[in-house]
Structure formats: C-alpha cells, structure tokens
C-alpha cells in the first residue's frame, strides 16, 4: 500500500515530538480557579497555533468535550468542536499536523472519513485523527448515547476498520459486523495521506493499549513521573508484539517554564494548589472512577507526580494524569531528554495561558532540545 505521509510532521525526523494539547477548551489542561487561566477565545487559539506552527512543533491536539466538569471552575464548559476547529486551523497553518479528536460512539465512520479527508485536503496532508472511545457518561447523555464499558474498544476497533477501509479506497463495500450494518460504503475524495491520515488513540486501560496496538500510529497515555515509563512501555510493547505492529507512545505534560526554578514552582503552586478547583477534581474522580474503576490503581496513580509525592499536597488544580514539567528551560529540556531516553517518542504540552507562555518555551527550550539532538531546525514548508 502507498504510504505517502511525508507532509505530516508526526512522521517527520525529530526524535522527540511536541504538540499543543487541549487549547480548544476553557481551562485548557487545568482544574484551577486562577483568574488568568485559559479562556479559549478563538483569536487567542489562532494566534497561539500560528506560533506553534512557525516554531515547528509537530501537532495541535484538541479535546472532545460536551459538558463542563462540575465544580467551581466548570472547565470545559466552553469547547470548540474538534473537526470544525481542525478545518479552520488547517487553513491558517503551513506545517503543523492538525488533529481532530473524535468520540467514536458519536460520529459514524463514513462521516469521519469524509470530514478527515476534507481536512487532509485543506492542509495538503497534515490531518490527524485522535480516536477516543469515551469515559464520561454525563457527556454522552447529551447525545442520548450509552457508553458500554466492556465493549467500547471493540466498538472502536470496528469503527476504525470501516473508517480506514473507506479512506484506503477501492470498490464499494457492505459491512455486516457486530456494531455496524452498513450498505454501499464509499467515499470521495480519499485522503492525501495514504493509506489514511495519521491516527492517535488516547487510552490507558489494557484494552486501550491493545486497541492502539491494532489501530494507531501513536498511543497517547498518562505518565506522571519518569519512573513509570519503563513499566508502562514494557506492557505496551507486549501488545505491539502480540499484534505484530510497532507504534509510538506519547505522554501528556503541563509546562511551567520560568527563568528560575523557584518562580516556576511558585507559579505551579499558585494555580494548582492555592487556586485548585477541589470540587471539579472530585467530579473528575467520581466520573472517571465509574469507567476505569480500580483497574491497575489508575485513579491514584494519575496524581502521583513529584510535587504530590514530595509534599503530600494534592495539587488538585493540575490536570490528573499530566506530567508536570516545572522549572527552568534547562530543567525542562533535561526532563524531556530523559523521557526520550526512557523510550517515549513525544509529549503534548499545555500552559495555564498558552498564548502568553508559549513564546518563552519556543525561545528557550526548543534550542536546548536541538543542541541535545532531540530535534532539528524548523523544516521548510
Ligand atoms: C492525551 C489524552 C487525550 C485524551 N482526550 C480525550 C478527549 O478528548 N475526550 C475524551 O472523552 N477522553 C479523552 N481522553 C481519555 C481517554 O480517551 C481514555 O478514555 C482514558 O485515558 C481512560 O483510558 P481507557 O479508556 O483506556 O480506560 C484522553 C486521554 C489522554 C491521555
């Protein structure tokens, strides 16, 4: 099969990939009442995306959300829908991969095939699909859809098989499966990327890992400290071996980068501890607990970052499962290098205020990563 994905920087030469996560929603990647938190104004999203594009970051990744987390900050109450967000940002950018996060129970595979092909043409081959199978039933109530906890990844896999077969092209086909009975499937245009656009999946459970090993190019997962990486990667590699495929693994980080370590740690303490939205955090734990349950002690380990471990404080205004990259440009570059050394292929990054904070990251951290051999200079368009 043809595999022309040359224009998608997700498959580019940088050894350690970076992208922006969750800027399409208010609150971004925090559960904080800090008044200077991200408001998700469109003009700010567009301006921040242009900076990321010019700096050669690999991707923009939005979250798919349909209801605010309850609590005081009500983060995610405002969110831009990711396919339309992707089409718009695609038209505004030149290099960066534009991901769309799709809840598979809410969008038919044929709709998503057409939407992703549209964005792939708008961007000339820079579109990406982030497949999520859903975990928060309260978000799905708004659509009248019930999440089947046991079957959600089986459903997702069948969805992916149809979506990818459509974009691979070929004669019309019928589909008679467990979840879908569909007639005369075809789509035109096909995607520019062959056989289909880049695929990520975001998951943590064993089934999520097995799904990624079968369907994705990249698995996005939660790691909150370096010590967790070898065990999690070892487990994911076992799924890859069983499925005979190799995928990359990325994690999700929150960045507070300041000239001194003290400033960075004080700022993290300010928004994540002093201004924590404890009620929002409780809501998350409650809803998430119904999906991931006690499997692998996941809820507890989502909060096991170095700040919590050192102080016993909850830092509940940070996002559960986010790796805190908090320190000077040297500290952050060293931590990213350690992630790479441990076998991760990339991370998403987020900031309390993306637009205000990304220039310093670009100016100070990216050159250090270049010097460390993890990234090269910005590629030509
Ligand atoms: C980087 C990242 C992005 C995610 N984005 C979304 C999202 O946009 N919408 C959503 O409902 N879930 C999202 N999730 C949640 C996952 O899809 C998944 O449900 C969760 O990590 C629990 O794992 P499991 O489903 O394998 O149990 C995301 C997770 C990660 C790690």
């Amino acid at each position: 099969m043809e595999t022309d994905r040359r224009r998608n920087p997700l498959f580019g030469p940088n050894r350690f990939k970076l992208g922006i996560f969750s800027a399409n929603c208010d609150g971004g990647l925090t559960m904080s009442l800090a008044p200077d938190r991200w408001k998700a104004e469109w003009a700010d999203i567009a301006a921040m995306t242009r900076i990321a594009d010019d700096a050669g970051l690999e991707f923009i990744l939005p979250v798919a959300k349909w209801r605010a987390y309850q609590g005081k900050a009500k983060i995610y109450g405002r969110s831009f829908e990711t396919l339309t967000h992707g089409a718009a940002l695609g038209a505004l950018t030149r290099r960066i991969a534009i991901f769309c996060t799709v809840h598979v129970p809410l969008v038919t595979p044929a709709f998503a095939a057409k939407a992703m092909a549209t964005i792939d043409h708008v961007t000339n081959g820079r579109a990406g699909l982030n497949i999520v199978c859903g975990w928060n039933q309260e978000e799905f109530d708004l659509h009248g859809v019930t999440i089947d906890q046991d079957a959600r990844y089986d459903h997702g896999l069948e969805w992916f098989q149809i979506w990818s077969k459509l974009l691979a092209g070929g004669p019309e086909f019928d589909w008679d499966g467990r979840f879908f009975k569909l007639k005369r499937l075809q789509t035109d245009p096909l995607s520019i990327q062959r056989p289909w656009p880049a695929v990520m999946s975001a998951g943590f459970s064993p089934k999520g890992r097995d799904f990624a090993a079968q369907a994705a190019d990249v698995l996005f997962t939660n790691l909150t400290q370096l010590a967790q990486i070898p065990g999690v990667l070892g487990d994911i590699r076992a799924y890859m071996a069983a499925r005979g495929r190799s995928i990359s693994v990325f994690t999700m980080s929150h960045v507070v980068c300041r000239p001194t370590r003290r400033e960075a740690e004080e700022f993290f303490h300010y928004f994540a501890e002093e201004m924590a939205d404890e009620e929002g955090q409780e809501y998350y734990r409650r809803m998430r607990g119904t999906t991931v349950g006690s499997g692998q002690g996941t809820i507890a380990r989502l909060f096991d970052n170095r700040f919590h471990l050192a102080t016993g404080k909850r830092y509940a205004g940070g996002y559960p499962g986010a790796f805190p990259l908090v320190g000077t440009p040297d500290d952050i570059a060293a931590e990213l290098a350690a992630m790479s050394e441990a076998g991760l292929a990339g991370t998403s990054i987020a900031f309390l205020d993306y637009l205000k904070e990304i220039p310093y990251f670009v100016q100070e951290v990216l050159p250090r990563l270049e010097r460390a051999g993890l990234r090269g200079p910005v590629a030509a368009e």
Side-chain angles (χ1 to χ4, degrees):
M1 222 180 280
E2 238 181 308
T3 55
D4 187 356
R5 289 166 150 188
R6 276 170 302 176
R7 284 196 45 97
N8 191 327
L10 201 77
F11 303 108
N14 284 338
R15 235 169 65 208
F16 196 77
K17 311 276 196 289
L18 292 169
I20 301 290
F21 180 49
S22 203
N24 64 313
C25 295
D26 70 328
L29 201 66
T30 62
M31 294 197 175
S32 177
L33 294 160
D36 38 349
R37 68 183 185 270
W38 186 239
K39 306 289 187 302
E41 295 293 347
W42 179 258
D44 293 346
I45 294 171
M48 183 278 295
T49 300
R50 284 198 177 100
I51 294 172
D53 189 37
D54 290 342
L57 296 195
E58 274 77 20
F59 61 91
I60 296 288
L61 176 63
V63 275
K65 291 286 168 198
W66 301 98
R67 186 181 290 289
Y69 286 180
Q70 306 307 298
K72 291 200 181 118
K74 299 217 180 324
I75 68 155
Y76 297 160
R78 171 192 177 95
S79 76
F80 288 98
E81 188 284 319
T82 75
L83 289 162
T84 43
H85 165 273
L89 291 184
L92 294 177
T93 51
R94 297 173 297 173
R95 298 186 184 88
I96 198 162
I98 304 288
F99 274 81
C100 306
T101 299
V102 172
H103 278 125
V104 291
L106 304 183
V107 179
T108 70
F111 190 115
K114 206 166 249 312
M116 291 305 301
T118 303
I119 299 167
D120 212 32
H121 282 258
V122 169
T123 59
N124 194 19
R126 295 183 282 119
L129 172 68
N130 178 33
I131 299 179
V132 288
C133 292
W135 59 270
N136 186 356
Q137 182 57 46
E138 283 201 344
E139 289 186 73
F140 283 65
D141 288 344
L142 181 146
H143 297 278
V145 171
T146 303
I147 305 176
D148 178 339
Q149 300 306 343
D150 296 328
R152 64 200 168 109
Y153 279 110
D154 300 329
H155 177 264
L157 189 62
E158 199 174 309
W159 186 102
F160 167 77
Q161 286 161 345
I162 302 164
W163 177 85
S164 55
K165 189 169 162 71
L166 274 164
L167 287 172
E172 267 187 12
F173 61 97
D174 292 345
W175 188 273
D176 184 14
R178 175 173 162 208
F179 301 94
F180 296 94
K181 313 244 178 257
L182 307 170
K183 293 265 184 267
R184 303 192 58 194
L185 287 158
Q186 54 77 40
T187 197
D188 184 10
L190 301 179
S191 50
I192 302 250
Q193 290 170 85
R194 306 306 306 140
W196 46 76
V199 173
M200 284 182 183
S201 74
F204 187 81
S205 59
K207 282 188 177 167
R209 291 175 185 174
D210 193 32
F211 171 84
Q214 294 172 81
D217 300 297
V218 174
L219 170 63
F220 238 108
T221 202
N222 298 115
L223 294 155
T224 52
Q225 41 168 321
L226 292 170
Q228 294 169 348
I229 299 175
V232 169
L233 279 187
D235 190 58
I236 296 168
R237 286 196 188 109
Y239 286 103
M240 293 186 215
R243 299 294 177 185
R245 285 183 80 241
S246 177
I247 61 174
S248 304
V249 181
F250 289 9
T251 195
M252 164 182 123
S253 303
H254 188 107
V255 175
V256 181
C257 187
R258 298 290 186 274
T260 66
R261 196 174 289 174
R262 185 162 166 202
E263 279 172 84
E265 292 186 350
E266 282 180 359
F267 192 72
F268 187 56
H269 189 267
Y270 154 70
F271 81 79
E273 179 61 23
E274 289 166 41
M275 302 300 283
D277 179 13
E278 294 281 353
E279 288 89 345
Q281 176 84 216
E282 285 313 319
Y283 173 81
Y284 176 89
R285 285 177 186 249
R286 194 169 64 250
M287 299 313 297
R288 179 77 182 239
T290 62
T291 324
V292 297
S294 55
Q296 301 198 358
T298 46
I299 296 277
R301 65 165 285 296
L302 291 173
F303 302 90
D304 264 359
N305 63 55
R306 68 181 168 93
F307 290 92
H308 171 68
L309 294 175
T311 64
K313 293 180 183 170
R314 286 188 1 134
Y315 283 86
Y319 198 87
F323 192 114
L325 288 172
V326 176
T328 64
D330 281 336
D331 292 335
I332 290 176
E335 219 153 6
L336 292 171
M339 283 183 184
S340 170
E341 182 66 22
L344 291 181
T347 185
S348 66
I349 55 173
F351 304 89
L352 185 72
D353 181 334
Y354 295 80
L355 182 57
K356 198 167 148 199
E357 296 178 62
I358 193 177
Y360 188 64
F361 181 88
V362 165
Q363 185 192 308
E364 297 296 333
V365 179
L366 293 188
R368 286 170 167 79
L369 296 178
E370 274 188 46
R371 289 198 288 277
L374 294 174
R375 301 179 57 82
V378 180
E381 289 167 43

